[in-house]
Amino acid sequence: MPHIRIVEAHEADAPLRAVYEAMMSRPIPAAYRTPHGGPAGIIRAHSLDPDLLRITFTATGTFHRGDGLTWAERELIAASASRTNQCFY
């Protein structure tokens, strides 16, 4: 089984720790907060490249701004697009 090495928050160097802290300060619904209080798995999966992590989630974070759609509607669109693209994450 493939495995991606993940850098946990307590192991993070200063640049990664700064990105983790920025990600954790973003407003997200409670359903998306992890039980352990740290960054979500999808965020930690990008931990080997903090610069790319920041760029990727800055770009995707822009999709959740504004008042045009609810969070649930945006998630439904993202899930539908992922399904159409055969991405099953």
Side-chain angles (χ1 to χ4, degrees):
M1 170 182 264
H3 177 75
I4 298 173
R5 186 169 94 67
I6 292 176
V7 180
E8 298 293 344
H10 69 277
E11 303 170 317
D13 60 9
L16 179 58
R17 188 171 30 260
V19 175
Y20 277 169
E21 288 171 0
M23 295 295 298
M24 296 300 297
S25 69
R26 294 179 356 161
I28 62 172
Y32 288 91
R33 295 279 177 201
T34 61
H36 54 74
I42 188 64
I43 295 168
R44 295 187 330 246
H46 289 78
S47 63
L48 297 181
D49 191 338
D51 291 331
L52 182 60
L53 169 63
R54 181 183 45 77
I55 291 166
T56 300
F57 285 94
T58 296
T60 60
T62 62
F63 302 137
H64 290 286
R65 292 195 180 134
D67 296 326
L69 299 172
T70 67
W71 190 284
E73 290 167 332
R74 294 171 192 182
E75 286 295 316
L76 181 59
I77 291 167
S80 297
S82 291
R83 179 69 179 178
T84 300
N85 293 322
Q86 298 180 353
C87 173
F88 298 105
Y89 176 77

